[in-house]
Amino acid sequence: MSYNYNNSYYPPPQQSGYPPPPPPPEQQQQPYGYYGGDQYQQPQHQQPQYQQPPPPPPPDTYYPPPQNYGNGGDFKGAKQYNREPKFRDLWAALLFLAQFALFVVIAALFIKSLPSTTFKHSGNLSYTKNFYSWPTMIMWLCVLLVSIVFSLIYLGLMQMFAGQMLVISFWFAVVSMIGTGVYYLAAKIWFAGGIMLIFGILYALMWFSWRHRIPFSKLVLEVVCHITRRFPSTIVVSVAFLILQAAYSAFWSLAFAGSFKHMEQYQNCSTHTDRNGRQYQSCSNPKQILAWVFMIFSFYWTSGVILNVLHTTICGTFATFYFFEGSPQGYPTKHVTLSSLKRAMTSSFGSICFGSLVVAIIQTLRAIVRAIRSQNDDNLAAQLLACCADCILGCIEAIVEFFNKYAYVEIAVYGKPFMAAAKDTWTLIKDRGVDALINDCLIGNVLQMGAFLCAAVVALVAWLYITITKPEYNTSGSYTAPIIIAAFVLAMSMFMVLLKCIDSGAATTFVCLAEDPDAMARNNPRLFAMVREAYPRVVQGVHAVDGF
């Protein structure tokens, strides 16, 4: 594979029926600079003009560059690449470290308050009276291992059968919705059953308008899987961060369980008399509520930082391949993924913490609103207001997460501060038509199907474990449903973490394509030709509009 180094797309050689186009005009090189001092300089890009546009290249055809290829040519991606990163949004990194240190101190106090029998066991899995015990930890370890194995198998299937997986995932969603609707109707839940059936039928009818997206989605998935095979370290890093997230979640769960016992000492109770002369006791514990709010906020922020560091690391790896694969100077570093991880953990860490902080605040507010809803079941007005607030916050959260996903690509490639990356992402989405490119990509359907299947298999494993071992704390069966639901949710989230390499790779491909389509023209002419035909605004380049 090879890349274009002089900021222009080289047409294919002369073929019968097509007169040769003139060479691209000489262009005035602009001072790119990935940062000039403290001010980010937008690079200037001008699309070459031809008297007659060249025909799209046939599939799997490579056209060699001109004779002066690599001899003094300027490579836009190489100039903009984050070679000498600067620390950005340092205040956010320091604030994150401060809150994490505070959480560790509080968690240590809460865990000490757990019963002394916690994690003490005689060795027989059946005689387990305490939920927080080693047999239970073994069950969650099995959940983790099965999730990792299933995710790796599913990733292999995606690489071997990209097109088939796209079709299967579409109809899997249809069958799931219709099946859920039929189940609700059988259970006499008429409204929910009718809604699911209607959505399932409408989704099936959309096949006729969506099937044209499959060739494009298949090609994108094949490109992403090819780069993943080229850098298997992306999968290794994903597994490492999955284990890190699982360990943090287990530690947080223990601390949250211990908070009930530890915060009892701060509870204030008082006796009151109602209008009928009957006495009742009212208790309040504002310190416990504040502790819970902080712990929930800390969980959202820390989990977001962990996942976004992984996302930024993979984005940096894919961007390095996109700009430097096949170039004369080669890669800017020997260990591409390790170098990308280093940047994400140092110079870009503050920007990652900043973006994760915004989402964590919204998620914490949603958790508070949901708690208010659960405490006011008899108050219709409070329920209505809380429901509206939850809906609005949910929409805001989805929008912020969508933009953050692509803003982290800008951070990974160019080392921008978070606000500059968010602003450039808005320009990318609004002016270049990348939103159409994203909406027409069906890779998300394949990942969602895999997450559901992984969650179903892992939930079955958890059910088998608790059924076979029959722990004493579950003699009444009260723990069975919560454990199965928890295993289902955890497996789904772990699957999405492990296959972050696919999701992040697709996002990086879209951003880099809009930023510098010439590199894609040389690297993958099939994908470039398909995008140029269906999405002409995208291949103009994100900065090309100023040149027209």
Side-chain angles (χ1 to χ4, degrees), residues 134-162:
W134 286 115
T136 307
M137 296 301 104
I138 292 175
M139 180 188 67
W140 294 120
L141 181 61
C142 292
V143 167
L144 176 64
L145 293 178
V146 173
S147 300
I148 293 176
V149 172
F150 184 93
S151 301
L152 293 177
I153 294 175
Y154 194 83
L155 177 61
L157 293 175
M158 289 177 61
Q159 294 181 345
M160 292 186 293
F161 309 103

PDB file of all heavy atoms in Angstrom, residues 134-162:
ATOM      1  N   TRP A 134     -15.613 -15.997  48.136  1.00  0.00           N
ATOM      2  CA  TRP A 134     -14.789 -16.457  47.024  1.00  0.00           C
ATOM      3  C   TRP A 134     -15.575 -17.263  45.984  1.00  0.00           C
ATOM      4  O   TRP A 134     -15.322 -17.112  44.786  1.00  0.00           O
ATOM      5  CB  TRP A 134     -13.609 -17.275  47.561  1.00  0.00           C
ATOM      6  CG  TRP A 134     -12.565 -16.417  48.194  1.00  0.00           C
ATOM      7  CD1 TRP A 134     -12.195 -16.411  49.507  1.00  0.00           C
ATOM      8  CD2 TRP A 134     -11.769 -15.409  47.552  1.00  0.00           C
ATOM      9  NE1 TRP A 134     -11.216 -15.468  49.735  1.00  0.00           N
ATOM     10  CE2 TRP A 134     -10.938 -14.831  48.540  1.00  0.00           C
ATOM     11  CE3 TRP A 134     -11.682 -14.925  46.247  1.00  0.00           C
ATOM     12  CZ2 TRP A 134     -10.034 -13.827  48.268  1.00  0.00           C
ATOM     13  CZ3 TRP A 134     -10.780 -13.914  45.973  1.00  0.00           C
ATOM     14  CH2 TRP A 134      -9.974 -13.374  46.973  1.00  0.00           C
ATOM     15  N   PRO A 135     -16.507 -18.124  46.363  1.00  0.00           N
ATOM     16  CA  PRO A 135     -17.293 -18.804  45.326  1.00  0.00           C
ATOM     17  C   PRO A 135     -18.042 -17.833  44.411  1.00  0.00           C
ATOM     18  O   PRO A 135     -18.145 -18.067  43.203  1.00  0.00           O
ATOM     19  CB  PRO A 135     -18.258 -19.673  46.143  1.00  0.00           C
ATOM     20  CG  PRO A 135     -17.533 -19.947  47.403  1.00  0.00           C
ATOM     21  CD  PRO A 135     -16.791 -18.680  47.706  1.00  0.00           C
ATOM     22  N   THR A 136     -18.544 -16.768  44.984  1.00  0.00           N
ATOM     23  CA  THR A 136     -19.219 -15.776  44.145  1.00  0.00           C
ATOM     24  C   THR A 136     -18.227 -15.068  43.233  1.00  0.00           C
ATOM     25  O   THR A 136     -18.524 -14.798  42.064  1.00  0.00           O
ATOM     26  CB  THR A 136     -19.945 -14.741  45.032  1.00  0.00           C
ATOM     27  OG1 THR A 136     -20.799 -15.417  45.948  1.00  0.00           O
ATOM     28  CG2 THR A 136     -20.771 -13.790  44.174  1.00  0.00           C
ATOM     29  N   MET A 137     -17.030 -14.789  43.760  1.00  0.00           N
ATOM     30  CA  MET A 137     -16.003 -14.177  42.927  1.00  0.00           C
ATOM     31  C   MET A 137     -15.585 -15.111  41.795  1.00  0.00           C
ATOM     32  O   MET A 137     -15.276 -14.663  40.681  1.00  0.00           O
ATOM     33  CB  MET A 137     -14.792 -13.808  43.782  1.00  0.00           C
ATOM     34  CG  MET A 137     -15.053 -12.749  44.845  1.00  0.00           C
ATOM     35  SD  MET A 137     -15.651 -11.172  44.175  1.00  0.00           S
ATOM     36  CE  MET A 137     -17.414 -11.252  44.598  1.00  0.00           C
ATOM     37  N   ILE A 138     -15.574 -16.411  42.071  1.00  0.00           N
ATOM     38  CA  ILE A 138     -15.252 -17.379  41.009  1.00  0.00           C
ATOM     39  C   ILE A 138     -16.309 -17.324  39.912  1.00  0.00           C
ATOM     40  O   ILE A 138     -16.001 -17.431  38.722  1.00  0.00           O
ATOM     41  CB  ILE A 138     -15.150 -18.795  41.617  1.00  0.00           C
ATOM     42  CG1 ILE A 138     -13.930 -18.888  42.530  1.00  0.00           C
ATOM     43  CG2 ILE A 138     -15.062 -19.852  40.515  1.00  0.00           C
ATOM     44  CD1 ILE A 138     -13.813 -20.216  43.262  1.00  0.00           C
ATOM     45  N   MET A 139     -17.558 -17.157  40.314  1.00  0.00           N
ATOM     46  CA  MET A 139     -18.619 -17.044  39.310  1.00  0.00           C
ATOM     47  C   MET A 139     -18.403 -15.832  38.414  1.00  0.00           C
ATOM     48  O   MET A 139     -18.521 -15.924  37.184  1.00  0.00           O
ATOM     49  CB  MET A 139     -19.977 -16.940  40.000  1.00  0.00           C
ATOM     50  CG  MET A 139     -21.163 -16.817  39.045  1.00  0.00           C
ATOM     51  SD  MET A 139     -22.709 -16.456  39.895  1.00  0.00           S
ATOM     52  CE  MET A 139     -22.398 -14.810  40.519  1.00  0.00           C
ATOM     53  N   TRP A 140     -18.071 -14.687  39.015  1.00  0.00           N
ATOM     54  CA  TRP A 140     -17.843 -13.491  38.202  1.00  0.00           C
ATOM     55  C   TRP A 140     -16.576 -13.624  37.362  1.00  0.00           C
ATOM     56  O   TRP A 140     -16.498 -13.071  36.261  1.00  0.00           O
ATOM     57  CB  TRP A 140     -17.757 -12.263  39.095  1.00  0.00           C
ATOM     58  CG  TRP A 140     -19.036 -11.936  39.796  1.00  0.00           C
ATOM     59  CD1 TRP A 140     -19.244 -11.866  41.135  1.00  0.00           C
ATOM     60  CD2 TRP A 140     -20.312 -11.679  39.190  1.00  0.00           C
ATOM     61  NE1 TRP A 140     -20.553 -11.579  41.406  1.00  0.00           N
ATOM     62  CE2 TRP A 140     -21.241 -11.449  40.233  1.00  0.00           C
ATOM     63  CE3 TRP A 140     -20.758 -11.620  37.875  1.00  0.00           C
ATOM     64  CZ2 TRP A 140     -22.573 -11.170  39.997  1.00  0.00           C
ATOM     65  CZ3 TRP A 140     -22.105 -11.342  37.636  1.00  0.00           C
ATOM     66  CH2 TRP A 140     -22.983 -11.118  38.683  1.00  0.00           C
ATOM     67  N   LEU A 141     -15.599 -14.373  37.833  1.00  0.00           N
ATOM     68  CA  LEU A 141     -14.420 -14.638  37.029  1.00  0.00           C
ATOM     69  C   LEU A 141     -14.785 -15.480  35.803  1.00  0.00           C
ATOM     70  O   LEU A 141     -14.271 -15.242  34.700  1.00  0.00           O
ATOM     71  CB  LEU A 141     -13.358 -15.355  37.868  1.00  0.00           C
ATOM     72  CG  LEU A 141     -12.038 -15.679  37.158  1.00  0.00           C
ATOM     73  CD1 LEU A 141     -11.362 -14.400  36.678  1.00  0.00           C
ATOM     74  CD2 LEU A 141     -11.111 -16.469  38.079  1.00  0.00           C
ATOM     75  N   CYS A 142     -15.670 -16.458  35.997  1.00  0.00           N
ATOM     76  CA  CYS A 142     -16.154 -17.241  34.850  1.00  0.00           C
ATOM     77  C   CYS A 142     -16.894 -16.352  33.854  1.00  0.00           C
ATOM     78  O   CYS A 142     -16.763 -16.518  32.639  1.00  0.00           O
ATOM     79  CB  CYS A 142     -17.073 -18.366  35.337  1.00  0.00           C
ATOM     80  SG  CYS A 142     -16.243 -19.653  36.287  1.00  0.00           S
ATOM     81  N   VAL A 143     -17.672 -15.418  34.370  1.00  0.00           N
ATOM     82  CA  VAL A 143     -18.372 -14.467  33.495  1.00  0.00           C
ATOM     83  C   VAL A 143     -17.374 -13.675  32.665  1.00  0.00           C
ATOM     84  O   VAL A 143     -17.544 -13.491  31.449  1.00  0.00           O
ATOM     85  CB  VAL A 143     -19.253 -13.529  34.346  1.00  0.00           C
ATOM     86  CG1 VAL A 143     -19.738 -12.343  33.514  1.00  0.00           C
ATOM     87  CG2 VAL A 143     -20.432 -14.287  34.921  1.00  0.00           C
ATOM     88  N   LEU A 144     -16.291 -13.230  33.291  1.00  0.00           N
ATOM     89  CA  LEU A 144     -15.277 -12.464  32.583  1.00  0.00           C
ATOM     90  C   LEU A 144     -14.589 -13.304  31.516  1.00  0.00           C
ATOM     91  O   LEU A 144     -14.426 -12.855  30.365  1.00  0.00           O
ATOM     92  CB  LEU A 144     -14.247 -11.929  33.585  1.00  0.00           C
ATOM     93  CG  LEU A 144     -13.045 -11.173  33.007  1.00  0.00           C
ATOM     94  CD1 LEU A 144     -13.496  -9.902  32.312  1.00  0.00           C
ATOM     95  CD2 LEU A 144     -12.038 -10.850  34.112  1.00  0.00           C
ATOM     96  N   LEU A 145     -14.203 -14.517  31.859  1.00  0.00           N
ATOM     97  CA  LEU A 145     -13.477 -15.367  30.914  1.00  0.00           C
ATOM     98  C   LEU A 145     -14.357 -15.755  29.727  1.00  0.00           C
ATOM     99  O   LEU A 145     -13.905 -15.726  28.569  1.00  0.00           O
ATOM    100  CB  LEU A 145     -12.965 -16.612  31.629  1.00  0.00           C
ATOM    101  CG  LEU A 145     -11.878 -16.385  32.683  1.00  0.00           C
ATOM    102  CD1 LEU A 145     -11.502 -17.696  33.360  1.00  0.00           C
ATOM    103  CD2 LEU A 145     -10.645 -15.744  32.048  1.00  0.00           C
ATOM    104  N   VAL A 146     -15.597 -16.121  29.988  1.00  0.00           N
ATOM    105  CA  VAL A 146     -16.505 -16.493  28.889  1.00  0.00           C
ATOM    106  C   VAL A 146     -16.748 -15.299  27.981  1.00  0.00           C
ATOM    107  O   VAL A 146     -16.816 -15.440  26.751  1.00  0.00           O
ATOM    108  CB  VAL A 146     -17.829 -17.041  29.456  1.00  0.00           C
ATOM    109  CG1 VAL A 146     -18.843 -17.272  28.342  1.00  0.00           C
ATOM    110  CG2 VAL A 146     -17.591 -18.347  30.199  1.00  0.00           C
ATOM    111  N   SER A 147     -16.865 -14.104  28.554  1.00  0.00           N
ATOM    112  CA  SER A 147     -17.066 -12.899  27.733  1.00  0.00           C
ATOM    113  C   SER A 147     -15.868 -12.658  26.823  1.00  0.00           C
ATOM    114  O   SER A 147     -16.035 -12.338  25.634  1.00  0.00           O
ATOM    115  CB  SER A 147     -17.298 -11.685  28.631  1.00  0.00           C
ATOM    116  OG  SER A 147     -18.439 -11.854  29.442  1.00  0.00           O
ATOM    117  N   ILE A 148     -14.657 -12.827  27.348  1.00  0.00           N
ATOM    118  CA  ILE A 148     -13.455 -12.603  26.543  1.00  0.00           C
ATOM    119  C   ILE A 148     -13.371 -13.632  25.414  1.00  0.00           C
ATOM    120  O   ILE A 148     -13.123 -13.280  24.249  1.00  0.00           O
ATOM    121  CB  ILE A 148     -12.203 -12.666  27.432  1.00  0.00           C
ATOM    122  CG1 ILE A 148     -12.187 -11.486  28.399  1.00  0.00           C
ATOM    123  CG2 ILE A 148     -10.936 -12.666  26.583  1.00  0.00           C
ATOM    124  CD1 ILE A 148     -11.031 -11.521  29.391  1.00  0.00           C
ATOM    125  N   VAL A 149     -13.595 -14.912  25.743  1.00  0.00           N
ATOM    126  CA  VAL A 149     -13.494 -15.965  24.724  1.00  0.00           C
ATOM    127  C   VAL A 149     -14.555 -15.760  23.638  1.00  0.00           C
ATOM    128  O   VAL A 149     -14.252 -15.849  22.435  1.00  0.00           O
ATOM    129  CB  VAL A 149     -13.645 -17.352  25.381  1.00  0.00           C
ATOM    130  CG1 VAL A 149     -13.748 -18.440  24.314  1.00  0.00           C
ATOM    131  CG2 VAL A 149     -12.465 -17.627  26.299  1.00  0.00           C
ATOM    132  N   PHE A 150     -15.786 -15.486  24.046  1.00  0.00           N
ATOM    133  CA  PHE A 150     -16.849 -15.289  23.054  1.00  0.00           C
ATOM    134  C   PHE A 150     -16.551 -14.075  22.180  1.00  0.00           C
ATOM    135  O   PHE A 150     -16.762 -14.119  20.952  1.00  0.00           O
ATOM    136  CB  PHE A 150     -18.191 -15.100  23.760  1.00  0.00           C
ATOM    137  CG  PHE A 150     -19.365 -14.991  22.812  1.00  0.00           C
ATOM    138  CD1 PHE A 150     -20.092 -16.105  22.462  1.00  0.00           C
ATOM    139  CD2 PHE A 150     -19.731 -13.766  22.261  1.00  0.00           C
ATOM    140  CE1 PHE A 150     -21.167 -16.016  21.585  1.00  0.00           C
ATOM    141  CE2 PHE A 150     -20.796 -13.657  21.381  1.00  0.00           C
ATOM    142  CZ  PHE A 150     -21.513 -14.797  21.045  1.00  0.00           C
ATOM    143  N   SER A 151     -16.060 -13.008  22.770  1.00  0.00           N
ATOM    144  CA  SER A 151     -15.774 -11.794  22.006  1.00  0.00           C
ATOM    145  C   SER A 151     -14.676 -12.043  20.973  1.00  0.00           C
ATOM    146  O   SER A 151     -14.768 -11.568  19.828  1.00  0.00           O
ATOM    147  CB  SER A 151     -15.372 -10.660  22.948  1.00  0.00           C
ATOM    148  OG  SER A 151     -16.397 -10.378  23.884  1.00  0.00           O
ATOM    149  N   LEU A 152     -13.643 -12.774  21.348  1.00  0.00           N
ATOM    150  CA  LEU A 152     -12.563 -13.063  20.405  1.00  0.00           C
ATOM    151  C   LEU A 152     -13.053 -13.955  19.263  1.00  0.00           C
ATOM    152  O   LEU A 152     -12.672 -13.761  18.101  1.00  0.00           O
ATOM    153  CB  LEU A 152     -11.403 -13.732  21.138  1.00  0.00           C
ATOM    154  CG  LEU A 152     -10.661 -12.854  22.159  1.00  0.00           C
ATOM    155  CD1 LEU A 152      -9.584 -13.657  22.872  1.00  0.00           C
ATOM    156  CD2 LEU A 152     -10.052 -11.630  21.473  1.00  0.00           C
ATOM    157  N   ILE A 153     -13.898 -14.934  19.575  1.00  0.00           N
ATOM    158  CA  ILE A 153     -14.467 -15.784  18.522  1.00  0.00           C
ATOM    159  C   ILE A 153     -15.325 -14.949  17.579  1.00  0.00           C
ATOM    160  O   ILE A 153     -15.263 -15.093  16.353  1.00  0.00           O
ATOM    161  CB  ILE A 153     -15.283 -16.935  19.148  1.00  0.00           C
ATOM    162  CG1 ILE A 153     -14.359 -17.875  19.921  1.00  0.00           C
ATOM    163  CG2 ILE A 153     -16.047 -17.697  18.075  1.00  0.00           C
ATOM    164  CD1 ILE A 153     -15.106 -18.971  20.671  1.00  0.00           C
ATOM    165  N   TYR A 154     -16.121 -14.066  18.139  1.00  0.00           N
ATOM    166  CA  TYR A 154     -16.991 -13.222  17.313  1.00  0.00           C
ATOM    167  C   TYR A 154     -16.164 -12.283  16.440  1.00  0.00           C
ATOM    168  O   TYR A 154     -16.516 -12.031  15.277  1.00  0.00           O
ATOM    169  CB  TYR A 154     -17.929 -12.418  18.209  1.00  0.00           C
ATOM    170  CG  TYR A 154     -19.085 -11.779  17.477  1.00  0.00           C
ATOM    171  CD1 TYR A 154     -20.232 -12.497  17.201  1.00  0.00           C
ATOM    172  CD2 TYR A 154     -19.027 -10.446  17.072  1.00  0.00           C
ATOM    173  CE1 TYR A 154     -21.299 -11.921  16.533  1.00  0.00           C
ATOM    174  CE2 TYR A 154     -20.084  -9.864  16.405  1.00  0.00           C
ATOM    175  CZ  TYR A 154     -21.211 -10.600  16.140  1.00  0.00           C
ATOM    176  OH  TYR A 154     -22.260 -10.014  15.471  1.00  0.00           O
ATOM    177  N   LEU A 155     -15.064 -11.770  16.976  1.00  0.00           N
ATOM    178  CA  LEU A 155     -14.181 -10.911  16.188  1.00  0.00           C
ATOM    179  C   LEU A 155     -13.601 -11.678  15.005  1.00  0.00           C
ATOM    180  O   LEU A 155     -13.514 -11.147  13.890  1.00  0.00           O
ATOM    181  CB  LEU A 155     -13.058 -10.367  17.069  1.00  0.00           C
ATOM    182  CG  LEU A 155     -11.998  -9.492  16.382  1.00  0.00           C
ATOM    183  CD1 LEU A 155     -12.641  -8.246  15.782  1.00  0.00           C
ATOM    184  CD2 LEU A 155     -10.902  -9.108  17.375  1.00  0.00           C
ATOM    185  N   GLY A 156     -13.218 -12.933  15.230  1.00  0.00           N
ATOM    186  CA  GLY A 156     -12.726 -13.757  14.132  1.00  0.00           C
ATOM    187  C   GLY A 156     -13.778 -13.989  13.063  1.00  0.00           C
ATOM    188  O   GLY A 156     -13.479 -13.958  11.858  1.00  0.00           O
ATOM    189  N   LEU A 157     -15.026 -14.217  13.483  1.00  0.00           N
ATOM    190  CA  LEU A 157     -16.113 -14.394  12.506  1.00  0.00           C
ATOM    191  C   LEU A 157     -16.344 -13.118  11.710  1.00  0.00           C
ATOM    192  O   LEU A 157     -16.633 -13.178  10.498  1.00  0.00           O
ATOM    193  CB  LEU A 157     -17.390 -14.812  13.237  1.00  0.00           C
ATOM    194  CG  LEU A 157     -17.379 -16.199  13.891  1.00  0.00           C
ATOM    195  CD1 LEU A 157     -18.666 -16.424  14.674  1.00  0.00           C
ATOM    196  CD2 LEU A 157     -17.201 -17.287  12.833  1.00  0.00           C
ATOM    197  N   MET A 158     -16.240 -11.961  12.353  1.00  0.00           N
ATOM    198  CA  MET A 158     -16.402 -10.694  11.645  1.00  0.00           C
ATOM    199  C   MET A 158     -15.326 -10.522  10.577  1.00  0.00           C
ATOM    200  O   MET A 158     -15.587 -10.010   9.485  1.00  0.00           O
ATOM    201  CB  MET A 158     -16.353  -9.527  12.632  1.00  0.00           C
ATOM    202  CG  MET A 158     -17.559  -9.413  13.529  1.00  0.00           C
ATOM    203  SD  MET A 158     -17.402  -8.078  14.738  1.00  0.00           S
ATOM    204  CE  MET A 158     -17.254  -6.674  13.654  1.00  0.00           C
ATOM    205  N   GLN A 159     -14.112 -10.953  10.868  1.00  0.00           N
ATOM    206  CA  GLN A 159     -13.031 -10.810   9.905  1.00  0.00           C
ATOM    207  C   GLN A 159     -13.175 -11.773   8.732  1.00  0.00           C
ATOM    208  O   GLN A 159     -12.779 -11.456   7.613  1.00  0.00           O
ATOM    209  CB  GLN A 159     -11.694 -11.027  10.609  1.00  0.00           C
ATOM    210  CG  GLN A 159     -11.359  -9.968  11.639  1.00  0.00           C
ATOM    211  CD  GLN A 159     -10.021 -10.189  12.306  1.00  0.00           C
ATOM    212  OE1 GLN A 159      -9.445 -11.260  12.214  1.00  0.00           O
ATOM    213  NE2 GLN A 159      -9.517  -9.174  12.992  1.00  0.00           N
ATOM    214  N   MET A 160     -13.765 -12.939   8.984  1.00  0.00           N
ATOM    215  CA  MET A 160     -13.890 -13.932   7.908  1.00  0.00           C
ATOM    216  C   MET A 160     -15.169 -13.765   7.095  1.00  0.00           C
ATOM    217  O   MET A 160     -15.181 -14.036   5.889  1.00  0.00           O
ATOM    218  CB  MET A 160     -13.834 -15.341   8.507  1.00  0.00           C
ATOM    219  CG  MET A 160     -12.482 -15.728   9.079  1.00  0.00           C
ATOM    220  SD  MET A 160     -12.413 -17.467   9.606  1.00  0.00           S
ATOM    221  CE  MET A 160     -13.564 -17.443  10.983  1.00  0.00           C
ATOM    222  N   PHE A 161     -16.251 -13.328   7.733  1.00  0.00           N
ATOM    223  CA  PHE A 161     -17.548 -13.262   7.050  1.00  0.00           C
ATOM    224  C   PHE A 161     -18.175 -11.884   7.266  1.00  0.00           C
ATOM    225  O   PHE A 161     -19.237 -11.760   7.888  1.00  0.00           O
ATOM    226  CB  PHE A 161     -18.481 -14.356   7.575  1.00  0.00           C
ATOM    227  CG  PHE A 161     -17.893 -15.733   7.573  1.00  0.00           C
ATOM    228  CD1 PHE A 161     -17.439 -16.306   8.754  1.00  0.00           C
ATOM    229  CD2 PHE A 161     -17.777 -16.455   6.395  1.00  0.00           C
ATOM    230  CE1 PHE A 161     -16.901 -17.577   8.764  1.00  0.00           C
ATOM    231  CE2 PHE A 161     -17.231 -17.723   6.387  1.00  0.00           C
ATOM    232  CZ  PHE A 161     -16.789 -18.292   7.571  1.00  0.00           C
ATOM    233  N   ALA A 162     -17.523 -10.853   6.761  1.00  0.00           N
ATOM    234  CA  ALA A 162     -17.986  -9.480   6.999  1.00  0.00           C
ATOM    235  C   ALA A 162     -19.363  -9.247   6.391  1.00  0.00           C
ATOM    236  O   ALA A 162     -20.282  -8.770   7.064  1.00  0.00           O
ATOM    237  CB  ALA A 162     -16.970  -8.488   6.436  1.00  0.00           C
TER     238      ALA A 162
END
